Each structure stands twice: as C-alpha cells, then as structure tokens.
Amino acid sequence: MIMLFWVEVGYMVLNRLLRLGTRKRDYALLILLVVVGFVDLKLCMDGLPGAKRLYRFALRTLWYLQFYHMGRMFRLYWEKQVEQWRLLHTCGICCAVNVLLVCACGDKVNFIATSGMGNFNSWWMPLCTSITGTLFWYKVMQMMSKRIGQVRIVDFVAENTFTTMMCHLIFVNIPNFVVYLQIRGGGTAFGDFPVQKFIAGAWVRYSPASRLAGFVCGLLGSLLVAWIINKAKEWIAGLRCVEQ
C-alpha cells in the first residue's frame, strides 16, 4: 500500500508535467516507462537495491509506474477491444505463452515479491507474465460477471479492494496475536509458534488452522472497515448537502 501510494503520487506528477490525455503522449510515455522498467530490473538483478532502502524505494516505484499507466490506458483505449476477444482464444493464448516460458526457463519464470526488488531472474519476463496473467483473469472475471450479474455483496467486495489491501494484514494476524498473547501470559499450548519472526514482520504463517482463521478475519475485518468508511462518506456528504 505504501508503494501504491507513492506510485500514485509519482504518476500525478508525471500527468501534470507531461499533460497526458492524448494518444501520442500516452503511448510515448508507455514506451518510455517500459524501457525504464527493463533497465530497472536489470539493475535489480545486478544487486543494486541491496540493503539501501532509498534504492529499493526508487526502483520499486519506477517499475510499477508502467503498470499504473497501462491500467489507465486500458480504461481509455483498450478495454472495449479486449472485451470483444473470445474467452477461450484469449485465455488459451495466455496459458500457451506461460507454458512455453515454463518449458524454456523453468522456475526462473517466477518472481515472488517486489518488496525487496531482489527476486528477479529476467529483465523482460516479469512484464510478459504480468500481462498474460492480468489478461487471463480479466477475461475470466468478464465471463463470470455476465453469468452472475449484479450481486450486492460481490459488487461491494469488488468496489472496496483498495480498502481490503490497505488493512487486511491487521486482521489476518488476529489469530497470531491471540497465540502470541497466550504465550506472553505463560501458556504452553503453542510452544512451536515463531515468536521472534512474528515480532519482526507481518507474514507469519503458523498452522493450517491459523491460516484459515486469518483468511476469514482478513476478509471480514477489511469489509467491515470498508463499510464504516462508506457510511462515514455518506454522512459527510449529507452534512455538506444540508450546509448548502
């Protein structure tokens, strides 16, 4: 979420400086950001991020700017055409490309996380697999939305993904907090719980039961926060209407 915030800030600055909004300028910036992204990953593969947070911050922000710009261009220029593509053909091609990459490169296709910008095995493959993966799931969701139609809870979840990303880790860790507090209180039932790892970071995966409970807590807790935020927005909007 911190990364996404800075990407949005950076993109707003670029938008103002370059006066985006025309096809020529948008496509010119797309080419520039893709090239910058290739150079970015090459620097990451050479070990530039290292332990320096400033380098990681700059490289991570630059690499994700291309995807943010692609999302904007998709909405403006590409979405209507992509919607007309046949589901089986599109998803089949995406799968075929990824299968060929796996056959040719094996595990090097994967990149696990971008928080440290140090898990890349190729300067071009992450862009390729990101596009095929996004396109595959876009077509699947397009098909499902036509089958399901308008469902209130589904629409609510879809419209509040930003809030879910923002706060899900807090609620996902509720089971871990419960176990940790029991250990602090002298309990011995969870002797194999990685206390130091839990204190050091938010990504402890303790047991299948705690993971399942964490998933439920993360989803329900995030949706509750989204509901509260939406109600607060409605209340503020109502006050403004009264004042006017």
Side-chain angles (χ1 to χ4, degrees):
M1 287 302 301
I2 295 175
M3 175 203 69
L4 180 57
F5 169 77
W6 286 112
V7 169
E8 287 185 334
V9 171
Y11 192 81
M12 289 174 61
V13 173
L14 286 176
N15 196 0
R16 290 294 183 88
L17 291 177
L18 302 178
R19 297 180 180 179
L20 301 175
T22 63
R23 283 182 176 268
K24 288 184 178 180
R25 291 184 180 182
D26 286 344
Y27 274 97
L29 179 61
L30 175 64
I31 294 172
L32 175 62
L33 290 178
V34 169
V35 172
V36 169
F38 288 154
V39 175
D40 189 304
L41 291 197
K42 187 64 173 64
L43 293 174
C44 291
M45 292 170 63
D46 291 341
L48 180 60
K52 295 187 177 181
R53 295 183 179 181
L54 180 61
Y55 288 167
R56 290 201 304 271
F57 165 76
L59 293 170
R60 188 169 56 231
T61 304
L62 287 173
W63 193 62
Y64 271 98
L65 274 172
Q66 63 185 314
F67 296 105
Y68 197 93
H69 186 55
M70 287 178 193
R72 178 175 174 274
M73 293 191 67
F74 182 83
R75 179 65 68 183
L76 291 175
Y77 307 123
W78 305 334
E79 188 170 19
K80 291 183 179 179
Q81 287 75 26
V82 173
E83 285 180 345
Q84 303 303 316
W85 294 358
R86 297 188 64 176
L87 173 69
L88 291 178
H89 291 173
T90 305
C91 292
I93 291 173
C94 291
C95 290
V97 170
N98 284 5
V99 168
L100 289 174
L101 290 175
V102 170
C103 291
C105 305
D107 290 340
K108 291 183 178 181
V109 171
N110 296 324
F111 60 98
I112 301 172
T114 55
S115 57
M117 295 300 287
N119 300 309
F120 299 103
N121 300 305
S122 168
W123 56 270
W124 60 270
M125 206 180 312
L127 176 62
C128 180
T129 55
S130 296
I131 292 174
T132 56
T134 302
L135 184 57
F136 176 91
W137 287 112
Y138 177 84
K139 295 302 293 184
V140 170
M141 291 300 104
Q142 180 186 342
M143 179 270 293
M144 291 183 64
S145 66
K146 291 180 179 178
R147 297 285 193 276
I148 298 174
Q150 295 292 319
V151 180
R152 188 173 180 180
I153 183 62
V154 174
D155 291 342
F156 181 78
V157 173
E159 291 166 0
N160 291 279
T161 53
F162 190 89
T163 303
T164 302
M165 288 190 296
M166 178 176 66
C167 60
H168 74 282
L169 273 179
I170 297 174
F171 298 104
V172 164
N173 274 292
I174 287 177
N176 291 330
F177 270 110
V178 171
V179 173
Y180 174 70
L181 291 175
Q182 289 191 28
I183 294 174
R184 287 289 302 271
T188 59
F190 305 96
D192 57 341
F193 182 77
V195 175
Q196 295 303 319
K197 187 176 181 181
F198 173 67
I199 294 174
W203 296 101
V204 170
R205 294 175 174 86
Y206 174 48
S207 68
S210 67
R211 294 179 193 180
L212 179 60
F215 170 79
V216 174
C217 291
L219 178 61
L220 296 181
S222 299
L223 294 181
L224 177 61
V225 171
W227 181 82
I228 294 173
I229 291 174
N230 290 340
K231 287 298 181 182
K233 288 180 179 179
E234 292 175 3
W235 180 69
I236 293 172
L239 289 178
R240 288 177 177 175
C241 290
V242 172
E243 292 176 355
Q244 292 176 355

